[in-house]
Amino acid sequence: MDAPQTPLEAPKTIGQGGRRVWLYPEWFRGRMLTWRTAAHWLLIVALLIGPWVDIGGHPATRIDIPGRRIHFWGLTLFATDGVYLLFLFGFVVFSVFLFTALFGRVWCGWACPQTVFLESLVRPIERWIEGSAAQRQKLDAAPWTAGKIGRKLAKYAAYLVIAGGVGTTFTAYFLGRAGTFEAQLHPSSHPAGTFTFLFITGLLLFDFAYFREQTCLVVCPYGRFQSALLDRNSLTVVYDAPRGEPRGKKGTAGAGDCVDCRRCVTVCPTGTDIRRGVTMECTQCMACIDACDDIMAKLHRPVGLIRVASENAIAKAPTRIVRPRVIAYAVGLVAVLVAFGITAAHHSEIELGLSRVVGTPYTTLPDGRIQNAMQLRISNKGEQPHEFTVEPVTSGMELLTPISPFAVKPGRVEHMPVYLLRAPADVRDRHETVRLRVRDEGEFSKEIDAQFLAPDPAGGSR
Ligand code: SF4
Ligand code: SF4
């Protein structure tokens, strides 16, 4: 794309000597804002209701650290299900890579919790209490009167309520409802929970009241590595420079379609000028599209001077959706989903593992029988307690189980001692695979193999 005509600039929020420049972005209702607000509110509801509604007797979402399990909308994962966290990590990484390569920073403007709460909850409240961008700027510059103090107090009180609500929900993700209220009402009973609640509430209040777009510009690493994921075929918010340049008032001879009204800049929540090209400051919120479309409509010119397109499309070159990086990210994503599907299809409420007790590989008993001491790991991921028994499947093998039946509570992983015994005459090899069957009091029955170690039947040493 032809280079924008302005030199590179620092972010608008950073002034001389690193001083913070406060922005007063204007609000403009357009089709992008309507879609974006709908998406934001869907996400706000999804983020906030998880710990407060139950599915199958558990909170829909909870990270239960003491119980070593995670509830996620009907799915319960235990500490032994760490592989699912790997799948989640792979899913997030490949999704971000793929969506960024295809659609630029759509995450930032449309789905990032910071943007979602700031743009669709905090700023509307600010506009409701303090008025339009011009009114807010005037209020900030005005001397402190009772009216100004009242408005500021009302605004910060509203922010505190939102921050406290989100902080409470965040804490409930970990402590559950009862634990969260306990931590809030009796801080000494749960210092970690109280600290989490106060920390998150304070952090959000700081973000809503002061830091705002600086989080995207200064703190968040994603904006910085996006340039490695984008190319000229990625769909991003772009200014059609060949059509818009040279800028000039309506009627100026030789001027392009951009009348340099700066509406696209005044609505931008990060203060960036999209006409400079794709920048780190652009969170792809698309407010500038609404603003510029409105200007174009008023001038009876085609809308879309700022639009979602690839840099190649703006340069009138073909846009390639399918390209090596997209294929690579898509293959990675599909591989993660397939692996997840296969693992989930074999997901069992009860998982078994057999391991040898560390130390002596075998013991010869006074009556001559060979004994192998093993541990049967039983993971009960269900909601009911179970009692397990073990029996030999391999002929000529005996089992000694000091605790039988062996009880395992829901959500617990226990180790059952099991002794395998064979008469020397039955031993065919020094390393022999033998088979056990594990049953519970119901219909569960599963066979599991073990390596039986014994002295060499031919009489040699081990
Ligand atoms: S809103 Fe459109 S016409 Fe106005 S300055 Fe921005 S790009 Fe140019
Ligand atoms: S340049 Fe446009 S899309 Fe980017 S952050 Fe500003 S208003 Fe949003």
Side-chain angles (χ1 to χ4, degrees), residues 3-12 247 272-281:
Q5 306 304 306
T6 49
L8 287 176
E9 302 165 22
K12 283 286 183 300
R247 303 164 198 176
T272 193
D273 186 343
I274 191 66
R275 296 172 299 172
R276 290 164 50 205
V278 177
T279 64
M280 192 208 67
E281 297 96 281

Side-chain angles (χ1 to χ4, degrees), residues 373-428:
M374 315 282 282
Q375 277 192 328
L376 178 65
R377 180 173 50 79
I378 306 175
S379 173
N380 178 4
K381 302 176 180 179
E383 302 298 332
Q384 303 297 328
H386 290 280
E387 292 192 331
F388 296 90
T389 54
V390 189
E391 61 193 30
V393 175
T394 303
S395 63
M397 187 177 69
E398 297 170 63
L399 280 186
L400 191 61
T401 48
I403 311 169
S404 184
F406 188 82
V408 183
K409 291 180 182 168
R412 302 290 303 177
V413 180
E414 304 285 2
H415 293 85
M416 176 184 190
V418 177
Y419 296 92
L420 283 58
L421 297 154
R422 304 202 80 176
D426 294 326
V427 175
R428 287 185 287 274

Side-chain angles (χ1 to χ4, degrees), residues 24 126-142 151-152:
Y24 298 90
E126 184 176 55
R127 283 195 298 275
W128 181 56
I129 294 174
E130 295 190 347
S132 66
Q135 288 170 318
R136 294 198 303 273
Q137 194 163 8
K138 198 171 155 196
L139 182 73
D140 282 354
R151 280 175 193 269
K152 293 289 178 191

Side-chain angles (χ1 to χ4, degrees), residues 174-210:
F174 293 90
L175 294 190
R177 299 188 284 264
T180 299
F181 293 140
E182 178 73 13
Q184 289 175 334
L185 295 173
H186 307 289
S188 60
S189 70
H190 209 309
T194 308
F195 174 78
T196 303
F197 164 66
L198 292 177
F199 179 75
I200 297 296
T201 302
L203 195 67
L204 289 174
L205 188 60
F206 173 71
D207 185 69
F208 295 161
Y210 177 73

Side-chain angles (χ1 to χ4, degrees), residues 237 264 267-270 272-274 281-288:
V237 177
C264 51
V267 297
C268 178
T270 63
T272 193
D273 186 343
I274 191 66
E281 297 96 281
C282 176
T283 58
Q284 215 157 309
C285 73
M286 304 185 194
C288 51

Side-chain angles (χ1 to χ4, degrees), residues 239 258-264 275 292 295-296 305-306:
Y239 165 67
C258 176
V259 291
D260 208 14
C261 64
R262 292 183 60 80
R263 283 290 298 282
C264 51
R275 296 172 299 172
C292 188
I295 297 294
M296 290 298 113
L305 179 58
I306 300 173

